[in-house]
Amino acid sequence: MSSSDPAGALALAARLSWLEYRAAYPWRIYLISALPRALLQVLFFAYLGYFTGGHTGRTFAFVGASAHVMLIATVIKGPDVLLDERVLGTLYRLRLGVLSVPAVIAVRWWVYAAEAIVDAMAVIVVVGPFVVGLDVVERLLLALPLFGLVALTTSALGLAVAAVSMTQRADVLVTNLANYAALVVCGVVAPLSALGTVGMGIGRAVPLTHGLLAIRAAIDGRPWVGEALLEAAVGAAWAASAVIVLLVQEWRARAFGIGDRI
Amino acid sequence: MSPERRWTVDVLLSSALVQARLMRSPVFVVLGVVQPAAFVLVTILARRSPAVDLSQAGLGAGLLSIWAATVWQSGLILRAETWEGTLGPIVSRPAGLAVVLLGKSIGATVRAAVFIGATVAIVSALLHHPIEVDRPLPLAAALAAVLASATVLGMLLSSLFLVTRAANRIAEALMYPVFILGGLLVPLRLLPHWIRPLADAVSLRWGVDLMRAASSGVAQPGRAWLWLGVTTAVYAVLARVAFRRMLVRARDVGSLELF
């Protein structure tokens, strides 16, 4: 492999990303910590929905929380792909490489998108039968491609969050803020209509909102393609914003020699 | 007061103050402001019928966040000392680690409570569901007892987290079991019957009963006071055992800053 083989270099980056993930989250840790957290988080929100809205609220909250749980991987953990380079002082080497930083980060991100989908599947299969019944579980499993779409669009949100956090010492704040903001404005436990006009407008500009509407439509047997396309468009806009921020940061680092200043 | 006792109190207060001042990090903003605000907002916005009583949603969201702060702030005190390389020097000082840990746990819990309390009070009021305080003194007594219990829990977790490399991951997993079993925001009556006895081992479950009673103006159940005391005492014994084992192990095999 050489600099003339960018596809091979990106494939290597993707493979190394898996090894890095396994080192940070060995199976034992995933099974005793990350997975139970995902299951219990969704169970908690389902009960919260039950408390505030009865059986209807419980099903609504379970479906919403099953999609929102993916943000643990794509918005909270995923940004480490980029931020660890800053923490470990290796960001400049990435910037000096032959591949663009956004491309390298994007291919390394796949493990977190995959974890998001696995988390959502586990939640649906393990918690779902006890909370919403097998009928809804079956329909949610049929809607898994939409969960895959949401994993990608929320990864775009995560990348934007990581890019903004790069020049600050506030990555924990920004990633968690994005996660909790999505919980409130994306129609996860409380329906979008409860947010008012302004809140709904904000919510519709955040990845997850349209994806969740598409998932709800799909399991109810209503048309969902329109909402899915909107989700893809919102995700693409966030991805483009993230790439622009990363490129501007790279340009500033070269122009002003501030690559390592954080 | 003897000079030794006065000196111990000084170390205790200094440790509490140092910990409170250290908690200016973004993590604290998440735990003290973002998370409680999000839980209050979601709970109140999700209400589908006016028949659902949300008068104590703010109280419940606040207690959820107290638990989260206990796990992520108090629970990681000793681990943070390890990261900073200051754990060994503290252990070898005359005051000892136990006094410093107690002081820091108190500082972390009280500071978190102040910010969480202000956040849930403001957000609840803005959403027209202000936290009601019909009986202020019993409410203050219950809050003090809850914070004492949270402090002891923080010391227990801090000692346990010191012997594992996966402290952060375990902290993640510990949050939601108590969110569910504590009945802090979602009433325990909504849980299946078979799981409710587990809730009795969670001290905050009794604390929230006391605070809700005081908030709504009814007499606080004596049983809740009793079990809050018993569970906190059990946590204190476990914390003492874990702390001693951690120190003995560290001295025995020289593993204070190793795993």
Side-chain angles (χ1 to χ4, degrees):
Chain A
M1 187 189 69
S2 69
S3 59
S4 61
D5 180 19
L10 289 174
L12 178 63
R15 194 157 55 83
L16 291 175
S17 174
W18 168 244
L19 297 178
E20 189 179 22
Y21 176 85
R22 288 289 307 278
Y25 302 99
W27 286 118
R28 190 167 53 95
I29 293 300
Y30 179 75
L31 290 174
I32 65 169
S33 166
L35 187 60
R37 181 246 165 104
L39 300 176
L40 292 169
Q41 177 176 313
V42 172
L43 187 61
F44 170 72
F45 286 124
Y47 269 109
L48 185 58
Y50 188 34
F51 171 51
T52 55
H55 291 288
T56 309
R58 182 170 63 186
T59 303
F60 185 91
F62 176 79
V63 173
S66 299
H68 176 260
V69 78
M70 293 195 287
L71 272 71
I72 298 174
T74 56
V75 173
I76 294 181
K77 289 181 180 172
D80 287 346
V81 167
L82 183 60
L83 298 171
D84 279 353
E85 298 288 347
R86 184 196 72 187
V87 174
L88 297 173
T90 48
L91 185 59
Y92 77 96
R93 298 182 67 167
L94 202 58
R95 283 176 172 157
L96 291 173
V98 292
L99 301 170
S100 79
V101 174
V104 175
I105 298 302
V107 296
R108 286 159 93 183
W109 203 284
W110 76 269
V111 286
Y112 293 99
E115 185 196 323
I117 296 169
V118 170
D119 284 350
M121 274 178 64
V123 160
I124 292 167
V125 172
V126 177
V127 182
F130 302 101
V131 176
V132 290
L134 288 174
D135 181 41
V136 177
V137 167
E138 189 184 328
R139 283 181 275 157
L140 278 170
L141 288 175
L142 289 173
L144 264 183
L146 291 172
F147 281 86
L149 172 66
V150 172
L152 292 178
T153 57
T154 55
S155 289
L157 173 63
L159 183 58
V161 162
V164 170
S165 306
M166 271 276 281
T167 52
Q168 313 294 326
R169 285 178 184 269
D171 39 284
V172 174
L173 172 63
V174 180
T175 53
N176 279 283
L177 191 60
N179 181 44
Y180 283 112
L183 175 68
V184 175
V185 304
C186 291
V188 175
V189 180
L192 274 181
S193 56
L195 298 172
T197 313
V198 176
M200 279 171 71
I202 294 169
R204 287 184 182 280
V206 179
L208 177 64
T209 304
H210 292 287
L212 203 41
L213 289 171
I215 291 168
R216 294 191 197 284
I219 64 173
D220 290 345
R222 291 182 280 115
W224 49 266
V225 176
E227 293 293 351
L229 289 174
L230 281 172
E231 176 74 8
V234 170
W238 280 85
S241 309
V243 169
I244 289 168
V245 171
L246 286 172
L247 293 177
V248 168
Q249 285 172 350
E250 193 170 341
W251 169 77
R252 280 172 53 84
R254 286 175 188 272
F256 305 112
I258 55 170
D260 293 327
R261 203 176 78 187
I262 55 174
Chain B
M1 188 184 286
S2 67
E4 289 80 13
R5 184 163 292 181
R6 187 178 303 157
W7 188 56
T8 303
V9 171
D10 282 349
V11 172
L12 193 76
L13 292 177
S14 302
S15 302
L17 280 176
V18 166
Q19 183 64 26
R21 286 180 183 165
L22 280 174
M23 291 166 68
R24 290 175 180 166
S25 70
V27 179
F28 182 70
V29 179
V30 172
L31 294 169
V33 181
V34 175
Q35 189 190 62
F39 279 130
V40 175
L41 277 164
V42 165
T43 307
I44 291 175
L45 291 174
R47 183 165 77 160
R48 285 168 186 258
S49 158
V52 179
D53 178 14
L54 291 180
S55 61
Q56 289 164 337
L59 212 56
L63 285 168
L64 282 187
S65 297
I66 292 280
W67 168 242
T70 299
V71 172
W72 287 105
Q73 295 282 319
S74 307
L76 292 175
I77 285 172
L78 293 183
R79 169 86 21 236
E81 299 291 350
T82 311
W83 288 326
E84 299 295 332
T86 46
L87 186 61
I90 293 175
V91 173
S92 61
R93 293 290 190 276
L97 187 59
V99 178
V100 174
L101 177 59
L102 176 61
K104 289 198 159 205
S105 294
I106 292 171
T109 306
V110 171
R111 186 176 163 98
V114 168
F115 276 81
I116 291 166
T119 301
V120 295
I122 292 168
V123 177
S124 301
L126 288 175
L127 294 173
H128 309 294
H129 287 278
I131 297 175
E132 294 165 0
V133 184
D134 274 10
R135 303 176 71 202
L137 281 179
L139 183 68
L143 178 63
V146 164
L147 296 185
S149 186
T151 300
V152 173
L153 261 173
M155 292 178 72
L156 171 61
L157 293 177
S158 206
S159 301
L160 295 175
F161 285 172
L162 200 59
V163 294
T164 171
R165 202 186 290 262
N168 281 7
R169 303 281 81 80
I170 294 170
E172 269 183 45
L174 280 176
M175 296 261 288
Y176 283 92
V178 173
F179 280 14
I180 296 168
L181 288 175
L184 306 175
L185 191 54
V186 180
L188 286 173
R189 63 181 159 75
L190 298 181
L191 297 182
H193 284 282
W194 59 268
I195 208 169
R196 291 183 206 169
L198 289 177
D200 293 350
V202 180
S203 66
L204 297 181
R205 167 248 191 283
W206 302 107
V208 76
D209 279 359
L210 293 171
M211 293 183 73
R212 279 186 183 142
S215 169
S216 54
V218 301
Q220 290 176 318
R223 185 167 177 262
W225 274 113
L226 173 69
W227 283 104
L228 178 59
V230 169
T231 47
T232 303
V234 171
Y235 299 159
V237 171
L238 291 175
R240 187 177 167 81
V241 170
F243 182 79
R244 288 200 160 200
R245 283 202 167 193
M246 179 266 294
L247 275 188
V248 167
R249 178 174 170 269
R251 289 189 168 125
D252 197 26
V253 295
S255 65
L256 189 61
E257 289 168 336
L258 303 171
F259 295 102

